[in-house]
């Protein structure tokens, strides 16, 4: 109907005008007195009495609280989680990376009577400055040693600082993402609250049983 | 009294907010009327097709994400279909259903963006664009649940998808679909009856269907002129033959028809996703690595696979020489081909309609230049 279109349109805009905002303020969100008191875990009166300076700031509209951005556990992000004890320096990750930004240098390591010969990893660098977080390196790792991280804040002033070294990976908080690691989803691991420090807790996503391995490597040969 | 005017040439873009990226036009005006248009592109050329020649078949998925960056899932799907055809891979059923859901969601997102930006170009500053973007954001949240990324998904793999959807995905999807329908209703009450939209878009940039067919234009632009051509129906790929959906057609072939077809197609996509949810069965999402290894070595030969992308027929042509990387990859980029009629659409029109017409083509510079 000609003539009704515009008023109907204004009804829609009016409805949207009064609905709660969906925008997330990042990194901080401005709060009033009520919000600041809630953040401090007291009721507004307590807050007024105990922290007069902060309350004045909140009333003036200057108080901010950090925002927790809602992320999925599969988020493919920064700070790869890496378990050195599991890594065999096979360099599958380096070969699989479309950009070739993983650098691996390995040297012959110790010879163990039980486990045979092993390689020692000397360099394991990921040039995060060029990484596009596709996750193919994680998908390629046959021993579940490398996981995507869930962090996304890693701004630096110098490009060279963006290269993650083995030591840095070793010390970084281990908050692996559930990307290509269904075992984390099965046990309900929440990377935004907990960390996994020991590789034994990380689980394997497709661990073959002894019989399967025997069939593949002994019987079929 | 006739005013004596003189044609002037104006350079539009590449850094112009209304050119949907980095597109440049040299336009000649006579007063308000457009006399000549020369499109110039290539500012976003990244050589994806050449780069593909030195990457393995799995690594190329990350390149296809970056071609049409508002519909990466659809690009993934087109490419994966070509690889499957080339290497003779039999996909896993659950993986196929999941990638159909993902690509239909992506189609909705892409049509929403197209609608929002068309209205933005029309002068509805912000409001409809924000409504459309708000809904797209929910779809991107669903993608983040599925694959961990919002724009550059790389979700599909030869033979299916890399991981099954998490448990919380299905209720979120149901809620999301309701929201999408609400938003489309809202957009339609807001715009489809709006007199300003009518007067600005009806009867502008009309193209005859014969011309569209001759220029091999596909997608919503073609369907807005009444030609019933949808690859999901004409040459069903994946499991589209198990799905029933209406083909959206409009006969006016003007800017309004193109807008209308996109909005209605988004509605149809919601129905398609609902049918997919009903038919999906538990199972593996991709063949095991014994069947489809990580490093695919297809036999020498070539394959072309095309899907109905959000902008038209999106085809991938792969030539293999039997090694781990393709010998040549060519993309039939629908945006680029839809752009070929720009001159016919614009010449003789008014200056004010330039960006509306341009927006109604729904092109994406990432795909035009690759
Ligand atoms: S996420 Fe992708 S780009 Fe980054 S290191 Fe891994 S494979 Fe390379
Ligand atoms: S693929 Fe895994 S095990 Fe092999 S070198 Fe990389 S991180 Fe280590």
């Amino acid at each position: 109907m000609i003539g009704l279109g515009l008023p109907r349109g204004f009804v829609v805009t009016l409805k949207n005008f009064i609905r709660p905002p969906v925008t997330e303020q990042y990194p901080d969100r401005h709060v009033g007195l009520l919000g600041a008191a809630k953040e401090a875990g007291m009721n507004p009166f307590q807050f007024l009495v105990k922290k007069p300076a902060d309350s004045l700031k909140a009333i003036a509209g200057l108080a901010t609280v950090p925002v927790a951005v809602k992320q999925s556990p599969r988020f493919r992000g920064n700070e790869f989680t890496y378990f050195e004890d599991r890594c065999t320096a096979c360099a599958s990750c380096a070969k699989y990376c479309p950009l070739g930004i993983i650098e691996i240098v390995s040297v012959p390591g110790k010879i163990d009577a039980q486990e045979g010969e092993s390689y020692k990893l000397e360099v394991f660098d990921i040039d995060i400055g060029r990484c596009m977080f596709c996750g193919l390196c994680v998908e390629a790792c046959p021993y579940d040693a490398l996981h995507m991280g869930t962090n996304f804040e890693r701004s630096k002033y110098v490009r060279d600082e963006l290269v993650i070294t083995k030591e840095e990976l070793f010390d970084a908080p281990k908050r692996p993402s559930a990307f290509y690691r269904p075992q984390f989803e099965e046990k309900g691991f929440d990377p935004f609250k907990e960390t996994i420090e020991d590789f034994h807790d990380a689980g394997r996503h497709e661990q073959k049983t002894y019989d399967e391995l025997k069939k593949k490597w002994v019987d079929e040969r | 009294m006739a005013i004596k005017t003189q044609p002037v040439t104006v350079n539009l873009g590449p850094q112009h907010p209304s050119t949907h990226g980095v597109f440049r036009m040299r336009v000649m005006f006579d007063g308000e009327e457009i006399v000549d248009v020369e499109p110039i592109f290539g500012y976003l050329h990244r050589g994806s097709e050449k780069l593909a020649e030195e990457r393995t078949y799995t690594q190329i998925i990350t390149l296809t994400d970056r071609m049409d960056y508002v519909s990466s899932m659809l690009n993934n799907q087109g490419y994966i279909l070509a690889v499957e055809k080339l290497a003779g891979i039999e996909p896993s059923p659950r993986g196929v259903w999941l990638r159909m859901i993902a690509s239909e969601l992506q189609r909705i997102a892409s049509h929403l963006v197209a609608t929002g930006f068309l209205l933005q170009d029309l002068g509805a500053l912000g409001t409809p664009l924000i409504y459309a973007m708000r809904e797209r954001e929910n779809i991107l949240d669903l993608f983040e649940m599925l694959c961990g990324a919002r724009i550059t998904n790389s979700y599909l793999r030869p033979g299916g998808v890399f991981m099954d959807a998490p448990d919380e995905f299905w209720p979120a999807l149901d809620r999301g679909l309701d929201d999408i329908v609400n938003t489309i209703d809202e957009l339609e009450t807001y715009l489809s009856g709006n007199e300003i939209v009518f007067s600005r878009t009806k009867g502008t940039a009309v193209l005859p269907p014969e011309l569209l067919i001759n220029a091999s234009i596909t997608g919503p632009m073609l369907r807005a002129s009444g030609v019933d051509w949808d690859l999901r129906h004409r040459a069903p790929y994946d499991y589209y033959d198990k799905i029933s959906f209406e083909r959206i057609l409009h006969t006016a072939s003007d800017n309004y028809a193109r807008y209308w077809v996109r909005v209605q197609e988004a509605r149809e996509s919601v129905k398609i996703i609902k049918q997919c949810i009903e038919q999906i069965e538990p199972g593996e999402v991709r063949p095991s690595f014994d069947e489809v290894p990580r490093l695919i070595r297809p036999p020498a030969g070539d394959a072309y696979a095309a899907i109905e992308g959000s902008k038209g027929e999106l085809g991938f042509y792969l030539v293999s020489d039997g090694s781990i990387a393709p010998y040549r990859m060519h993309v039939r980029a629908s945006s680029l081909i839809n752009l070929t009629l720009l001159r016919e659409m614009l010449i003789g029109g008014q200056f004010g309609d330039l960006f509306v017409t341009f927006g109604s083509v729904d092109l994406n510079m990432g795909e035009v230049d690759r």
Side-chain angles (χ1 to χ4, degrees), chain A residues 6-86:
Chain A
L6 282 181
R8 266 204 229 125
F10 282 126
V11 173
V12 173
T13 24
L14 197 67
K15 252 193 238 157
N16 276 281
F17 186 66
I18 52 179
R19 71 187 261 176
V22 289
T23 319
E24 299 267 5
Q25 303 289 338
Y26 179 82
D28 295 322
R29 163 170 66 92
H30 280 273
V31 286
L33 181 63
L34 291 180
K38 203 173 157 206
E39 180 70 16
M42 1 179 157
N43 70 35
F45 297 109
Q46 278 177 330
F47 191 65
L48 263 176
V49 176
K50 284 194 187 150
K51 298 197 168 160
D54 286 353
S55 342
L56 274 182
K57 238 171 107 186
I59 292 167
L62 294 173
T64 54
V65 293
V67 173
V69 183
K70 205 176 111 258
Q71 277 169 273
S72 144
R74 278 190 197 178
F75 184 78
R76 310 200 299 242
N78 229 318
E79 312 284 10
F80 289 79
T81 298
Y82 171 67
F83 296 113
E84 199 189 12
D85 298 342
R86 268 191 182 170

Side-chain angles (χ1 to χ4, degrees), chain A residues 82 86-94 104 121 124 137 140-146:
Chain A
Y82 171 67
R86 268 191 182 170
C87 179
T88 58
C90 67
S92 295
C93 46
I104 290 180
L121 201 60
F124 188 97
C137 50
C141 180
Y143 305 105
D144 287 14
L146 194 64

